[in-house]
Amino acid sequence: MEKVRDLVREGKRVAKEDPRRVVHSFKVGLVLSLVSSFYYYQPLYDSFGVNAMWAVMTVVVVFEFSVGATLGKGLNRVAATLFAGALGIGAHHLASLSGSTGEPILLAIFVFIQAALSTFVRFFPRVKARYDYSLLIFILTFALISVSGFREEQVLVLTHKRISTVIIGGFSCVLISIFVCPVWAGQDLHSLLASNVEKLSFFLLEFGDKYCETVKDGDTKEVDKRKNDFDNYKSVLNSKSNEESLANFAKWEPGHGQFRFRHPWKQYLSIGGLIRQCAYRIDALNSYLNADIQVSIDIRKKLEEPLRRMSLESGKAMKEMSVSLTKMIKPSSSDLHVRNAQSACKSLTSLLHSGILKEVESQELISLLTAISLLIDIINLTENILESLHELASAARFKDKIESPIFAEKPNSKSIVCGWATKGQDDHVVTIVNDDCCNGNTSEKGNRSNKVLIHEKHENCVHEKHEDDDAHVNSSCDSCGHTSLRVIVECR
Amino acid sequence: MEKVRDLVREGKRVAKEDPRRVVHSFKVGLVLSLVSSFYYYQPLYDSFGVNAMWAVMTVVVVFEFSVGATLGKGLNRVAATLFAGALGIGAHHLASLSGSTGEPILLAIFVFIQAALSTFVRFFPRVKARYDYSLLIFILTFALISVSGFREEQVLVLTHKRISTVIIGGFSCVLISIFVCPVWAGQDLHSLLASNVEKLSFFLLEFGDKYCETVKDGDTKEVDKRKNDFDNYKSVLNSKSNEESLANFAKWEPGHGQFRFRHPWKQYLSIGGLIRQCAYRIDALNSYLNADIQVSIDIRKKLEEPLRRMSLESGKAMKEMSVSLTKMIKPSSSDLHVRNAQSACKSLTSLLHSGILKEVESQELISLLTAISLLIDIINLTENILESLHELASAARFKDKIESPIFAEKPNSKSIVCGWATKGQDDHVVTIVNDDCCNGNTSEKGNRSNKVLIHEKHENCVHEKHEDDDAHVNSSCDSCGHTSLRVIVECR
């Protein structure tokens, strides 16, 4: 009883993790019941007979979770069946020329040669990666057709029926998988990459504070959530095989949504590789947070400013990249963050030059400098990831970011002014650019609302209202970059 | 034409890499021809009819490269077929109770429910890892049996024939794969681990020399070979999925050779994980060999002694572990090497304490200390790997190393003395323990042959003969540990 309850709980968890799984299960059941109607419906049974089972078999084997996998398997299966069918008929014809004693011997030899050769070719790495399933079906169909051809006289009719049922089964799978709640492998790969970058950004945004021990504990729920976010990067370490199979499937998919047919999926793999390299460094860095040998607080405090800036800025760059991936817009402010991180690197190096480390013990020194070196590596990798992302953005024609120009309108008594956010230490300082609509009055208003502090939040949107001077910040910073902000100043 | 030549070349390479692949291809061809004799041979055809094709299909799908994979798939297939067959008959019986209009509708509903439920269960991580194939076959067989049962009256006969042909096909695969040149996944996993450890040892044995730039270039062939060995560790980085699938297959295998049925395959995975972690550190370390910022030769020279000893001793420990895995004997001298490496660590730390780094530039310092920190990590991981290996050795009952006691025999005028190798800086010094057989004469002989230098080679066996005093070193040091050596001193 306890086991059944466990099973139900596990089922709920699996369904909650990705509700599309439930939909997929229903889709498979639906297609399978549809295809088995070949047996129930007399006219269909009359034309296909027992061969209808090939349609059932095709559906069971071909229908995969994503459109790409289904299409790939379906096309592989149909192509291999066609090719092996033709060869099988040829073999059958050749064998039948040699009389009734020679025929079975010759057929056995053909089957042996074909099976041995195809099995060997399956070991070729390039074939194994893409056409393994084709070859399996090729061996199967050839053996079945050439051998059963020996019994049945109408080998052409048999082959024809078998191939058409396979095609019918394959097509039903492909149609249902594309038109009923499709699951696109390409979309999944895209989201996976974006979420992986985001996971790294969570770590980096927090790391500086944690290393310098300046984290203030809030309520426990908040702390738990942040700890979860912090450790999330670990799932990135093993995402390679997942990315590769998704990219393989995505290649089969037709254009959908914002993805064209020949979307540069290969570029995703190279970005994914860089992200993983960065995650390895982060994993190593994380071990220094809880190491036995701790660098003394004194030293950390001395290095706090550049260290925090390095991790914060690289984290911001990552966050911005993740947003730009999600929205498929070109990353704009990431470059700035990377440059900031690099300049923080330089100021750290010059701080180290100043002889700050003279009194540090050697074991502490090793621990400290290794952490610094890892952080420098991470910043370099962030730059590489950004470069790769720029390449992707131009290859995949990501949209440019719409940066609203400074403009002024006067709808009734309200005017819209546009401000630019500049980066301060912890908060974004938004400087309101005055418009000249409000008869001198604005100038004062403008000055009054000259600094609107927007608390840095790592959601995509910040919504804030300053009651004092009726300046409503409407839409705002996408990530934590400097972005245009629209501020409505009401003229009274 | 060029393409065909490329294909042939690729084929030769694939065959040369692992000749068992060719044998496997022949085995598949053989079984398939045998099984298709069901069609040719009249008595067999009479009893099975078209159902013979299930045997063919089973062979094509089930016959895998290793015994474990074949057994696993075969058993999965047979079990799923039996279970689904029984359920299918039940469903058929239940549906037939509801009359001729209700039957097809009820059957379609059964197929829908079964397919949807099974497809959903395939998403459970634990099920996916081990029973994915079972569930596929389960869906397939249930649909085919319950649906074709609607047409054919003798549903029991049909099911019986289908199941027996599947069993025949499965058994032929399993028998051939076990008794004709078997490929054991367990053996492969074992060898993979041993070779992975060896690859790391190659790097570590060379690293010290390379980092301190004391490598002497010999002839280019030798240098190329060493460079290859040096870079070999890279293949370890991505061995995870390979190890996991081999371990999964190995669990299905019966006892063979030195592996019992319940060999602790899980322990192999944990050792493999540690080895990979070590390889990540080594990869990072390697990047410091060719980095832009190089530590000045002066500093390296000052740190040379402990640095070289650290890398050399951990390399020796790895090498010894690899040999002990290969031969399935308990690692004996690795502990000593690990301790040596740790003591080298300590002397390095005290050297750093002595203020040797006062004048080093900060960027150099970062690079140097990171390399040192990585090396320390590697030594710690070596210790962990060794611990894990000890656990494996006791769980899998590795043999104790046979350390020949000091003994003396007098076959004719030859006497066998036993010597112990002790470690010198670069060479093993073998001290011959005199036996008292040779009438005082030996004492002198013994003294004369008191030190037999055996040049350290990284093969498993060193064979050396000292012509001067007729001392033949018969069998000798396993790796580079201190090992017992048998030396024959001829008494004249």
Side-chain angles (χ1 to χ4, degrees):
Chain A
M1 203 58 212
E2 189 53 40
K3 273 205 163 177
V4 174
R5 230 173 280 151
D6 272 358
L7 214 68
V8 172
R9 212 173 297 134
E10 173 82 354
K12 272 186 190 158
R13 196 190 58 75
V14 168
K16 207 176 169 190
E17 209 176 86
D18 192 347
R20 299 176 303 175
R21 289 170 176 169
V22 182
V23 179
H24 173 71
S25 308
F26 276 101
K27 276 155 71 180
V28 172
L30 184 73
V31 180
L32 212 53
S33 324
L34 272 181
V35 167
S36 41
S37 68
F38 275 44
Y39 278 92
Y40 315 135
Y41 190 55
Q42 201 59 42
L44 277 175
Y45 190 76
D46 287 345
S47 55
F48 291 112
V50 232
N51 281 304
M53 67 168 228
W54 289 99
V56 173
M57 216 179 283
T58 305
V59 169
V60 173
V61 178
V62 161
F63 208 151
E64 295 272 336
F65 187 53
S66 68
V67 176
T70 310
L71 253 174
K73 264 198 159 175
L75 289 180
N76 264 321
R77 186 173 182 115
V78 169
T81 307
L82 279 175
F83 193 53
L87 262 188
I89 291 173
H92 179 248
H93 184 71
L94 215 71
S96 67
L97 293 180
S98 67
S100 63
T101 13
E103 192 172 353
I105 299 174
L106 217 57
L107 276 180
I109 293 176
F110 283 151
V111 168
F112 176 81
I113 293 175
Q114 187 267 354
L117 212 64
S118 307
T119 306
F120 183 67
V121 170
R122 284 176 77 190
F123 285 115
F124 288 26
R126 264 176 300 173
V127 174
K128 192 159 194 68
R130 291 207 73 177
Y131 304 108
D132 197 51
Y133 185 68
S134 294
L135 275 166
L136 191 83
I137 296 299
F138 182 68
I139 301 175
L140 181 68
T141 311
F142 182 85
L144 287 181
I145 295 245
S146 62
V147 158
S148 50
F150 174 60
R151 286 281 147 194
E152 307 202 20
E153 290 322 310
Q154 294 176 299
V155 67
L156 268 173
V157 177
L158 171 84
T159 314
H160 169 245
K161 278 185 183 170
R162 191 160 292 179
I163 289 177
S164 34
T165 43
V166 165
I167 291 179
I168 291 172
F171 257 90
S172 340
C173 294
V174 168
L175 288 181
I176 294 279
S177 82
I178 291 184
F179 293 108
V180 181
C181 311
V183 174
W184 301 102
Q187 176 68 56
D188 278 7
L189 177 61
H190 188 88
S191 314
L192 179 67
L193 226 62
S195 94
N196 278 354
V197 177
E198 194 178 27
K199 281 170 189 168
L200 300 194
S201 82
F202 283 141
F203 179 94
L204 289 171
L205 289 171
E206 290 264 308
F207 174 78
D209 288 345
K210 284 220 174 180
Y211 194 72
C212 304
E213 288 184 349
T214 54
V215 177
K216 285 153 208 98
D217 286 349
D219 65 318
T220 43
K221 217 171 170 183
E222 177 72 9
V223 169
D224 276 357
K225 194 193 162 301
R226 274 163 71 179
K227 193 173 158 18
N228 258 344
D229 284 350
F230 192 70
D231 285 338
N232 251 343
Y233 76 88
K234 282 181 182 156
S235 68
V236 182
L237 299 170
N238 292 316
S239 65
K240 190 183 183 199
S241 59
N242 198 4
E243 278 169 25
E244 276 174 358
S245 63
L246 282 177
N248 238 339
F249 298 150
K251 279 178 201 154
W252 291 101
E253 288 176 352
H256 56 278
Q258 292 171 290
F259 307 98
R260 288 168 301 127
F261 172 55
R262 290 210 167 278
H263 198 74
W265 298 118
K266 226 178 164 181
Q267 186 70 14
Y268 281 76
L269 289 186
S270 70
I271 297 183
L274 288 171
I275 293 173
R276 233 168 303 117
Q277 276 189 35
C278 198
Y280 292 143
R281 305 294 195 280
I282 284 181
D283 193 39
L285 195 57
N286 193 26
S287 68
Y288 285 95
L289 277 180
N290 314 307
D292 297 336
I293 301 152
Q294 287 287 355
V295 180
S296 69
I297 300 275
D298 269 9
I299 300 293
R300 293 196 219 180
K301 280 267 176 265
K302 280 181 195 160
L303 300 172
E304 180 177 347
E305 203 277 324
L307 266 181
R308 285 189 62 197
R309 207 141 53 85
M310 279 161 77
S311 109
L312 201 65
E313 290 291 337
S314 52
K316 282 180 184 174
M318 289 271 189
K319 178 80 196 174
E320 154 90 18
M321 282 192 258
S322 140
V323 172
S324 105
L325 259 173
T326 312
K327 300 197 172 172
M328 294 187 85
I329 45 178
K330 287 185 180 159
S332 57
S333 61
S334 289
D335 296 276
L336 183 74
H337 290 302
V338 169
R339 276 200 299 278
N340 285 343
Q342 282 164 337
S343 85
C345 269
K346 271 181 204 137
S347 55
L348 181 73
T349 335
S350 60
L351 205 63
L352 294 180
H353 263 294
S354 70
I356 204 167
L357 300 176
K358 284 255 162 69
E359 266 100 67
V360 184
E361 246 196 288
S362 64
Q363 285 201 321
E364 270 184 49
L365 195 66
I366 291 178
S367 160
L368 177 71
L369 289 188
T370 307
I372 290 175
S373 145
L374 283 168
L375 208 49
I376 294 175
D377 267 11
I378 288 169
I379 290 170
N380 290 338
L381 277 167
T382 310
E383 199 185 355
N384 293 349
I385 296 172
L386 183 60
E387 257 170 44
S388 236
L389 185 60
H390 276 306
E391 277 169 37
L392 175 68
S394 65
R397 300 185 207 149
F398 279 13
K399 289 189 295 281
D400 277 313
K401 199 163 198 169
I402 305 144
E403 301 207 69
S404 354
I406 299 173
F407 64 96
E409 273 175 47
K410 211 175 2 180
N412 298 330
S413 69
K414 288 196 178 180
S415 81
I416 295 166
V417 295
C418 193
W420 297 90
T422 54
K423 287 175 326 70
Q425 183 73 7
D426 281 312
D427 296 294
H428 289 276
V429 180
V430 181
T431 316
I432 304 288
V433 181
N434 300 328
D435 60 347
D436 50 7
C437 68
C438 295
N439 312 330
N441 201 1
T442 28
S443 161
E444 196 199 323
K445 280 225 175 267
N447 280 336
R448 250 171 57 203
S449 64
N450 211 12
K451 287 201 170 189
V452 182
L453 285 178
I454 294 172
H455 300 294
E456 189 177 330
K457 282 187 189 163
H458 299 302
E459 274 84 43
N460 293 342
C461 205
V462 180
H463 220 88
E464 195 150 310
K465 194 179 167 181
H466 269 244
E467 293 291 348
D468 307 339
D469 47 8
D470 289 277
H472 306 271
V473 179
N474 267 351
S475 81
S476 58
C477 77
D478 262 333
S479 62
C480 14
H482 68 146
T483 350
S484 64
L485 300 170
R486 289 172 61 212
V487 181
I488 301 176
V489 181
E490 197 180 327
C491 301
R492 265 173 294 201
Chain B
M1 203 59 213
E2 190 52 42
K3 274 206 164 176
V4 175
R5 230 173 281 153
D6 272 357
L7 213 69
V8 171
R9 212 172 296 132
E10 174 82 353
K12 274 186 190 160
R13 196 189 59 74
V14 168
K16 208 175 165 189
E17 210 175 85
D18 192 347
R20 300 176 302 177
R21 289 170 177 168
V22 182
V23 179
H24 172 71
S25 308
F26 277 100
K27 275 153 73 181
V28 173
L30 184 74
V31 180
L32 212 55
S33 324
L34 271 180
V35 167
S36 41
S37 68
F38 274 44
Y39 279 93
Y40 315 135
Y41 189 56
Q42 201 60 42
L44 278 175
Y45 190 77
D46 288 344
S47 55
F48 290 114
V50 233
N51 281 305
M53 67 168 226
W54 288 100
V56 173
M57 213 178 286
T58 305
V59 170
V60 173
V61 179
V62 162
F63 207 152
E64 294 272 336
F65 187 52
S66 67
V67 176
T70 310
L71 252 174
K73 263 197 160 176
L75 290 180
N76 264 322
R77 188 175 181 114
V78 169
T81 307
L82 279 174
F83 193 52
L87 263 187
I89 291 175
H92 179 249
H93 184 71
L94 215 70
S96 66
L97 293 179
S98 67
S100 63
T101 12
E103 192 173 353
I105 299 172
L106 217 58
L107 276 180
I109 293 175
F110 285 150
V111 168
F112 177 81
I113 292 175
Q114 185 267 354
L117 213 63
S118 305
T119 306
F120 183 66
V121 171
R122 283 177 76 190
F123 285 113
F124 288 26
R126 264 176 302 174
V127 174
K128 193 160 193 67
R130 291 207 70 178
Y131 305 107
D132 196 51
Y133 185 67
S134 294
L135 276 166
L136 190 84
I137 295 299
F138 182 69
I139 301 174
L140 181 67
T141 311
F142 181 85
L144 286 182
I145 296 245
S146 62
V147 159
S148 49
F150 176 58
R151 284 283 148 192
E152 308 199 20
E153 290 324 309
Q154 293 176 298
V155 67
L156 268 173
V157 178
L158 171 85
T159 313
H160 169 245
K161 279 185 182 171
R162 191 159 292 179
I163 290 176
S164 34
T165 42
V166 165
I167 290 178
I168 290 172
F171 258 90
S172 339
C173 294
V174 168
L175 288 182
I176 294 278
S177 82
I178 291 184
F179 293 108
V180 181
C181 310
V183 174
W184 300 101
Q187 176 68 56
D188 277 8
L189 177 61
H190 189 88
S191 312
L192 178 68
L193 225 62
S195 94
N196 278 355
V197 178
E198 194 178 26
K199 282 171 188 164
L200 301 194
S201 82
F202 283 141
F203 180 94
L204 290 171
L205 289 171
E206 290 264 308
F207 174 78
D209 288 346
K210 284 221 174 178
Y211 194 72
C212 304
E213 288 185 349
T214 54
V215 176
K216 283 152 209 100
D217 285 351
D219 65 320
T220 42
K221 217 170 171 184
E222 177 71 10
V223 169
D224 277 358
K225 193 190 163 302
R226 275 162 69 179
K227 196 180 154 10
N228 257 342
D229 284 349
F230 192 71
D231 285 339
N232 251 343
Y233 76 87
K234 282 180 182 155
S235 68
V236 182
L237 299 170
N238 292 317
S239 65
K240 189 181 182 201
S241 59
N242 197 4
E243 278 169 25
E244 276 175 357
S245 62
L246 282 177
N248 238 338
F249 298 150
K251 279 177 202 155
W252 292 101
E253 289 177 352
H256 56 279
Q258 292 171 290
F259 307 99
R260 287 167 302 127
F261 173 54
R262 288 210 168 278
H263 197 75
W265 298 118
K266 226 176 166 184
Q267 186 70 14
Y268 281 76
L269 290 185
S270 71
I271 297 183
L274 287 172
I275 292 174
R276 233 168 304 117
Q277 275 189 35
C278 195
Y280 292 144
R281 304 296 194 279
I282 283 182
D283 194 39
L285 194 57
N286 193 25
S287 68
Y288 284 96
L289 277 181
N290 315 306
D292 296 336
I293 300 153
Q294 287 288 354
V295 180
S296 69
I297 300 277
D298 269 9
I299 300 293
R300 292 197 219 181
K301 280 270 175 263
K302 278 181 195 159
L303 301 172
E304 181 178 347
E305 204 276 324
L307 266 181
R308 285 188 62 198
R309 208 139 54 83
M310 279 161 77
S311 108
L312 200 65
E313 290 291 335
S314 52
K316 281 179 185 175
M318 289 271 190
K319 176 79 197 173
E320 153 91 17
M321 281 192 260
S322 140
V323 172
S324 106
L325 260 173
T326 312
K327 300 198 171 174
M328 296 187 83
I329 44 178
K330 287 185 180 159
S332 58
S333 61
S334 289
D335 296 276
L336 182 74
H337 290 302
V338 168
R339 276 199 300 280
N340 284 344
Q342 283 165 336
S343 86
C345 269
K346 271 182 204 138
S347 55
L348 181 74
T349 334
S350 60
L351 205 63
L352 295 179
H353 261 296
S354 70
I356 204 166
L357 301 175
K358 285 255 162 69
E359 266 99 68
V360 184
E361 248 196 286
S362 64
Q363 284 200 322
E364 270 183 50
L365 195 65
I366 290 179
S367 158
L368 177 71
L369 289 188
T370 309
I372 289 173
S373 143
L374 283 168
L375 209 49
I376 293 174
D377 267 10
I378 288 168
I379 289 169
N380 290 337
L381 278 168
T382 309
E383 199 185 355
N384 294 348
I385 295 173
L386 184 60
E387 257 170 46
S388 236
L389 186 59
H390 276 306
E391 276 170 37
L392 174 68
S394 64
R397 301 185 207 151
F398 280 13
K399 288 189 293 283
D400 277 314
K401 201 162 201 171
I402 305 144
E403 302 208 68
S404 353
I406 300 173
F407 63 97
E409 270 175 52
K410 212 180 354 182
N412 297 330
S413 69
K414 288 195 174 178
S415 82
I416 295 166
V417 294
C418 193
W420 297 90
T422 54
K423 287 178 327 64
Q425 184 71 8
D426 280 313
D427 296 294
H428 290 275
V429 180
V430 181
T431 315
I432 303 289
V433 180
N434 300 328
D435 60 344
D436 51 4
C437 66
C438 293
N439 311 329
N441 201 1
T442 28
S443 158
E444 196 200 321
K445 278 223 179 278
N447 282 337
R448 252 171 57 203
S449 65
N450 211 12
K451 286 201 166 185
V452 183
L453 286 177
I454 293 171
H455 300 294
E456 191 178 329
K457 282 184 187 164
H458 299 304
E459 275 85 45
N460 293 344
C461 204
V462 180
H463 219 87
E464 195 151 307
K465 193 180 168 181
H466 269 243
E467 292 292 345
D468 308 338
D469 47 8
D470 291 277
H472 307 271
V473 180
N474 268 353
S475 80
S476 58
C477 78
D478 264 333
S479 64
C480 16
H482 68 148
T483 351
S484 65
L485 299 170
R486 288 173 62 212
V487 180
I488 301 175
V489 181
E490 197 181 327
C491 301
R492 266 172 293 198

